[in-house]
Amino acid sequence: MSLTLQEKILQAAAELFYSQGIKATGVDAIAKAANTTKMSLYKYFPSKDELVLAFLRKRDQDFRAWFVEQIDARADTPKAKLLAVFDVIGEWMAIPEFRGCAFINAAAEFPLEGNPVHQVSAEFYDHFRSYIAGLAGQCGSKSPDSLALQLSLLVEGAIVSEQMKRHSGAAEQAKQAAIVLIEAA
Amino acid sequence: MSLTLQEKILQAAAELFYSQGIKATGVDAIAKAANTTKMSLYKYFPSKDELVLAFLRKRDQDFRAWFVEQIDARADTPKAKLLAVFDVIGEWMAIPEFRGCAFINAAAEFPLEGNPVHQVSAEFYDHFRSYIAGLAGQCGSKSPDSLALQLSLLVEGAIVSEQMKRHSGAAEQAKQAAIVLIEAA
DNA sequence: TTGCGACTATACCGATCGGTATACTTTGTT
DNA sequence: AACAAAGTATACCGATCGGTATAGTCGCAA
């Protein structure tokens, strides 16, 4: 445990932002959830916008570290790792707290391309695609970038589909489609 | 032209909701954009929530009618129609006003499953999948529901991907993936 | 000409928003 | 014992939110 006050605030903000939406979450609610006050919140984060960006940047780091760890624990070969991607997101989507992808949701809440929140969200998927492209390249795919983009479309589609309606089998179908696409490439 | 005042309000609300987000759009801004007042707005729509639902329901009707019209104008056979889906969304995503899918965005802004806005958004994609499944069935697919879900994942993924970063070639790659999946089914 | 319904204009309501000012308590260090 | 830093408590700011009350304007029909 023993979290810094700053970390406690960021953690409370993350849970509320993710579960309720960013614009739907006020700074008073964050301070109360972190068992502190607005004064302390604004000591560590100069504005709500900065707190939102801090939330997304931490989410980016945490999620990517957790994700590759999960993949590496399940598969050894690049091809098996590509397929394991869909098992990992399938399990993630099954937890009750699942509310879609924080970056997709943030980009939807801040639709302008120039908005920093939107940009940070876009960068996350750039990195995600690069990771998939790396695996695709190791598989000997002729066009790893194309395959990576296609697979990431399946991932994003599955996340959004599951967010809209739970337990619709999106992850399984995404994996079946991925098998076909990987085999064809 | 000659729109009803009610239609003018709904149209102004639709443009603002889609371009800026629902929670980011106040009723004052809608009334001003429609060249009217809040009083008239509340005469036709008892609350902002009802206005939001009216916006989504009209979007659902309009988009689906426009979509099948576009498909039918481009292809005759069921298989060609399935592929035309990706041409249509590709052209849609290319217009400068494109800001993703209004239903995906709405579901992200109202993340709780029980929320009426969330439910209306989920129904749209249910209908969309049914439409695709119908085409897949006419193609003689063994499992039209599976193919339909897979193709709709590509569509949703492409929309989200293009919303995150414009001109990333999502629609083209989605179509290439769809060709492989349709041929395999 | 009178009256009625649609619409406008404007001021207002309580609540909440993001953000700040001020004063107080706690804690560890020297 | 004294002081500074960290954090709390609380009240406040102007702005905006969704929604309403009231009075007035306009065109049209009897």
Side-chain angles (χ1 to χ4, degrees):
Chain A
M1 262 303 153
S2 106
L3 290 173
T4 304
L5 180 58
Q6 185 174 18
E7 293 169 331
K8 271 167 56 181
I9 293 169
L10 189 51
Q11 181 176 298
E15 284 169 14
L16 290 173
F17 284 157
Y18 180 63
S19 65
Q20 304 181 353
I22 294 171
K23 290 194 170 144
T25 301
V27 288
D28 301 85
I30 295 169
K32 180 171 286 186
N35 279 318
T36 183
T37 64
K38 270 200 289 189
M39 283 311 298
S40 296
L41 190 155
Y42 279 100
K43 175 169 278 178
Y44 292 109
F45 304 95
S47 68
K48 184 187 177 184
D49 293 300
E50 287 300 322
L51 179 55
V52 172
L53 290 175
F55 152 62
L56 291 173
R57 287 196 257 259
K58 178 160 170 44
R59 191 82 164 194
D60 178 79
Q61 289 178 229
D62 293 356
F63 190 91
R64 284 166 58 195
W66 171 83
F67 195 75
V68 307
E69 174 189 314
Q70 288 287 315
I71 297 294
D72 290 345
R74 288 163 198 254
D76 293 325
T77 71
K79 191 175 179 179
K81 288 182 192 224
L82 278 184
L83 290 177
V85 165
F86 295 89
D87 297 329
V88 174
I89 70 150
E91 289 192 12
W92 169 48
M93 284 169 20
I95 68 175
E97 303 84 17
F98 175 81
R99 225 124 248 163
C101 171
F103 302 99
I104 292 175
N105 296 348
E109 285 201 75
F110 300 86
L112 296 182
E113 278 192 278
N115 188 296
V117 170
H118 194 103
Q119 288 177 344
V120 170
S121 300
E123 283 166 21
F124 169 82
Y125 271 100
D126 269 345
H127 296 146
F128 182 78
R129 257 200 309 277
S130 296
Y131 171 68
I132 303 292
L135 291 178
Q138 295 172 35
C139 283
S141 166
K142 301 167 197 169
S143 50
D145 286 339
S146 287
L147 180 58
L149 180 47
Q150 292 178 13
L151 294 181
S152 76
L153 294 185
L154 287 173
V155 170
E156 295 172 61
I159 291 170
V160 168
S161 181
E162 183 77 13
Q163 181 181 13
M164 286 261 187
K165 190 176 177 185
R166 304 299 299 268
H167 316 111
S168 55
E172 293 85 354
Q173 286 304 319
K175 186 178 185 182
Q176 295 307 315
I179 291 173
V180 174
L181 294 178
I182 292 170
E183 224 56 45
Chain B
M1 264 298 151
S2 107
L3 291 173
T4 303
L5 180 57
Q6 184 173 17
E7 292 169 332
K8 271 166 55 181
I9 293 170
L10 189 51
Q11 180 175 300
E15 284 168 14
L16 291 173
F17 284 156
Y18 180 63
S19 64
Q20 306 183 352
I22 293 171
K23 289 193 170 146
T25 302
V27 289
D28 301 85
I30 295 169
K32 181 171 286 184
N35 280 318
T36 182
T37 64
K38 270 201 288 189
M39 284 310 298
S40 295
L41 190 155
Y42 279 99
K43 175 168 277 178
Y44 292 109
F45 303 97
S47 68
K48 185 189 177 183
D49 293 298
E50 287 299 322
L51 179 55
V52 172
L53 290 175
F55 152 60
L56 290 174
R57 286 196 256 261
K58 177 159 170 47
R59 193 82 163 191
D60 178 79
Q61 289 178 228
D62 292 356
F63 190 90
R64 284 166 58 195
W66 171 83
F67 195 75
V68 308
E69 174 190 314
Q70 288 286 316
I71 297 294
D72 290 345
R74 287 161 197 255
D76 292 325
T77 71
K79 191 175 180 179
K81 288 183 191 226
L82 277 184
L83 290 178
V85 163
F86 295 88
D87 296 328
V88 173
I89 70 149
E91 289 192 14
W92 169 47
M93 283 167 22
I95 68 174
E97 303 84 16
F98 175 81
R99 225 125 247 163
C101 171
F103 302 98
I104 292 175
N105 295 348
E109 286 202 74
F110 299 86
L112 296 182
E113 277 191 278
N115 187 297
V117 170
H118 194 103
Q119 288 177 343
V120 169
S121 300
E123 284 167 21
F124 170 82
Y125 272 99
D126 268 345
H127 297 144
F128 182 77
R129 257 198 311 278
S130 295
Y131 171 70
I132 303 293
L135 292 178
Q138 295 172 35
C139 283
S141 166
K142 301 165 197 170
S143 50
D145 287 339
S146 288
L147 180 58
L149 180 46
Q150 293 179 12
L151 295 181
S152 76
L153 294 185
L154 288 173
V155 169
E156 294 172 61
I159 291 170
V160 168
S161 182
E162 182 78 13
Q163 182 182 11
M164 287 260 186
K165 189 176 177 185
R166 303 300 299 269
H167 317 112
S168 54
E172 293 84 355
Q173 287 303 321
K175 186 178 184 182
Q176 295 307 315
I179 290 173
V180 174
L181 294 178
I182 292 169
E183 222 57 45

